[in-house]
Amino acid sequence: MSATPYTAEAVLDHDSLTDLRVRVQGKTWHLWGRKGRERETELADAVPDDGLPVLLGAGLGHALDLLLARGLPVAVADRESGLLGLTGALDGRSAETCLHLDDPDPAEALKRLARWSEKHGGRTPIPVILPLYQRLNRDWYGTLAQTLKADAATGFWSLARYPKFRAAAPRVLFFDSDYFLCREILAALDRLGVAHRTLPLNDRETGSGAFIEGLLKAVIAFRPDMVLTVNHFGLDREGKLAGLLADLGLPLASWFVDNPRLILFDYDHPGTDNTVIFSFDAGNLDEMRDRGFEHVHYLPLATDPHRFRPRAGGAPSAWTAPLSFVGSSMTRPVAKSLALAGLPAPLAGEYEAVAGVFGRSGETSVTKFLEAERPDWLAAVRGLESREQRLAAESLLTWEATRQYRLACVRATLPFSPLVVGDKGWTGLLGSAKARFLPPLDYYADLPRFYPRSTINFNCTSRQMKGAVNQRVFDVPACGGFLLTDHREQMEQLFDLDREAAVYRNVEEIPGLVERFSADPTAREKIVQAAARRILAEHTYEHRLQRLLEILRETFA
């Protein structure tokens, strides 16, 4: 919540407060005096006898006195400890008749207010708004004001708790983080004819007042059947938004396209019965169930055949290559995680060796690997000061294992003069090796034209996804390119490996397979055509969204 700076000055007359001058944004507000008392009297008199007044700002305490004198329970939303210290407006108030709301998150304040309302017979909250406070913290007081106005006028909670999945086509509220997959999801929803509305996540924010206000407005105006997000974006670590969605009876679908362990690290998450977790990697499902999520499903990646399709011409000659690899060297993620983790010197000196053993172990969880192989490391990681450091330490081992594996695979292609497309870290890792380098290409504008220009597109998968397949497995054949990829256990559920894919099972196999397929264009073309048929029939994002929506309906209708 962003508060506006202000100064306050108390004016005393024989130890009695006669005026409280608050200067904010160049304007002085008088909180006390005859006019202030008259205004608070007017506001208090407007509250019906069967209402539940909610003061947005305690002010001088005069309205509060009047409302309590009428026997009404009163909630006071006020986060201005400095002003409260000067006025004493809440001093000595009974918790039985006066509820003080000062939660940093307005959603949490609204939840406490809902319980207060239920405690007092379901009275309708009536906002009593002191204008000054809207200027002090527009996000916080503004969110409460807008929500309470809707509640007072129409019965917000009764409108929000409507039946879900009653119509033939669901309505989807999408948290748009502009992350990988968001464009594909929106395009697929359009093509499926599914009604949807987006809530943009600026800088992938979590729980801001403006975002909560937009969510509550969308619930009333759009009446979605569910919320959809990618990688839990929009959800705060404390679980407040998840709790709010559960209170609203609005199911949440979160599709993880990266390792959920690295994302949900140290998350509190109420409302798990209201949440469906989808993971691109079937190997993550048991761990999500162990975390308390009851509804967990495998939903692999796919492709958008409207973007990734065969195209004639239009590609630079520099893109033509006998073999190419597109991907990160992982040097930057490793360096960033190492810096953030702040490991003790003994651990910092051996993380490369530990990551190498982890990468070769076949274990998907860093924690389980350390429990079995390096309990000393596990104890040291758990002893790090902050959860951000602990997450960085776990990420460090994952990214370093990926760096080592990826480097070994790419080095095996060097006899074939590969074109390596990625960050500058590759030049440092490969040095003067016989390879060409290009900077990263745009996923949407460039890669659909790039992949068909290579005789062989080479792929090696991140160690964060030991059983899953990555995006290239679908994108390359969809646009007419041939792919040689590492074997993934879950590929066998997606493709016929004898006809629809070319795979290597260890680094030593790479040179022989490159030689074989380089010399056999007929074999390459058969695999490309068979893979493309399978992808168009089963592995587009329309297929994935159809399945996701079916599961949500089966779970919550």
Side-chain angles (χ1 to χ4, degrees), residues 323 408-409 411-416 456 458 484 504 506-518:
L323 183 145
C409 290
R411 277 178 173 162
T413 72
L414 291 179
F416 307 95
I456 295 176
F458 182 73
L484 175 62
Y504 60 92
N506 55 62
V507 173
E508 291 71 27
E509 290 184 346
I510 293 172
L513 287 170
V514 172
E515 286 185 356
R516 171 190 164 190
F517 285 111
S518 295

Side-chain angles (χ1 to χ4, degrees), residues 478-497:
C479 61
F482 175 80
L483 182 73
L484 175 62
T485 185
D486 47 353
H487 176 265
R488 318 303 296 158
E489 180 182 340
Q490 292 158 37
M491 281 189 73
E492 298 176 8
Q493 305 174 45
L494 303 169
F495 296 95
D496 180 343
L497 298 191

Side-chain angles (χ1 to χ4, degrees), residues 350-396:
E350 65 169 351
Y351 77 87
E352 293 175 329
V354 174
V357 177
F358 167 61
R360 296 186 294 272
S361 70
E363 176 56 67
T364 59
S365 166
V366 170
T367 299
K368 291 180 180 179
F369 164 74
L370 293 178
E371 284 177 346
E373 302 294 334
R374 293 300 301 265
D376 57 326
W377 255 76
L378 182 62
V381 170
R382 286 177 171 171
L384 293 174
E385 184 175 347
S386 69
R387 63 185 177 188
E388 286 75 17
Q389 287 178 281
R390 296 190 291 273
L391 174 58
E394 182 165 334
S395 299
L396 172 64

Side-chain angles (χ1 to χ4, degrees), residues 190-409:
D190 282 335
R191 287 193 282 268
L192 291 171
V194 174
H196 59 277
R197 179 174 293 186
T198 61
L199 277 182
L201 289 169
N202 299 322
D203 298 321
R204 297 177 193 157
E205 63 188 333
T206 56
S208 74
F211 180 74
I212 296 295
E213 181 179 347
L215 168 64
L216 297 176
K217 287 180 177 178
V219 167
I220 297 301
F222 180 61
R223 294 174 66 84
D225 293 293
M226 57 174 284
V227 167
L228 174 61
T229 189
V230 172
N231 279 2
H232 240 50
F233 286 129
L235 280 292
D236 55 284
R237 289 188 179 277
E238 295 74 23
K240 294 174 182 177
L241 182 56
L244 174 61
L245 293 176
D247 289 343
L248 292 168
L250 188 58
L252 168 69
S254 189
W255 188 1
F256 285 92
V257 296
D258 292 303
N259 189 339
R261 167 66 183 170
L262 299 180
I263 297 168
L264 293 179
F265 189 89
D266 279 359
Y267 261 71
D268 293 322
H269 198 305
T272 51
D273 291 345
N274 190 64
T275 301
V276 181
I277 297 293
F278 294 90
S279 174
F280 78 122
D281 188 343
N284 295 321
L285 303 186
D286 286 342
E287 184 171 357
M288 292 299 97
R289 293 187 184 103
D290 291 343
R291 290 182 62 89
F293 292 100
E294 178 182 355
H295 311 297
V296 181
H297 300 272
Y298 171 49
L299 195 67
L301 299 175
T303 195
D304 180 349
H306 297 266
R307 287 193 174 100
F308 286 87
R309 55 184 173 80
R311 306 182 187 207
S317 59
W319 290 0
T320 301
L323 183 145
S324 67
F325 171 76
V326 177
S328 168
S329 70
M330 303 307 296
T331 55
R332 184 173 181 181
V334 167
K336 181 179 179 181
S337 297
L338 181 61
L340 290 174
L343 295 177
L347 272 65
E350 65 169 351
Y351 77 87
E352 293 175 329
V354 174
V357 177
F358 167 61
R360 296 186 294 272
S361 70
E363 176 56 67
T364 59
S365 166
V366 170
T367 299
K368 291 180 180 179
F369 164 74
L370 293 178
E371 284 177 346
E373 302 294 334
R374 293 300 301 265
D376 57 326
W377 255 76
L378 182 62
V381 170
R382 286 177 171 171
L384 293 174
E385 184 175 347
S386 69
R387 63 185 177 188
E388 286 75 17
Q389 287 178 281
R390 296 190 291 273
L391 174 58
E394 182 165 334
S395 299
L396 172 64
L397 295 182
T398 300
W399 302 146
E400 174 59 22
T402 298
R403 187 195 68 79
Q404 294 179 23
Y405 171 68
R406 190 165 284 181
L407 178 59
C409 290

Side-chain angles (χ1 to χ4, degrees), residues 180-181 184 188 191-192 255 280 298-309 443 469-479 483 489-497 499-501 527-547:
F180 161 69
L181 212 65
E184 287 80 356
R191 287 193 282 268
L192 291 171
W255 188 1
F280 78 122
Y298 171 49
L299 195 67
L301 299 175
T303 195
D304 180 349
H306 297 266
R307 287 193 174 100
F308 286 87
R309 55 184 173 80
Y443 177 78
V469 298
N470 63 18
Q471 193 69 42
R472 277 180 285 278
V473 172
F474 304 103
D475 289 345
V476 174
C479 61
L483 182 73
E489 180 182 340
Q490 292 158 37
M491 281 189 73
E492 298 176 8
Q493 305 174 45
L494 303 169
F495 296 95
D496 180 343
L497 298 191
R499 299 187 308 106
E500 299 170 345
I527 291 173
V528 170
Q529 290 183 4
R533 285 194 296 270
R534 173 78 72 171
I535 289 165
L536 292 175
E538 299 180 11
H539 302 316
T540 69
Y541 280 109
E542 285 93 326
H543 293 117
R544 300 294 185 254
L545 266 294
Q546 282 179 323
R547 181 57 184 148

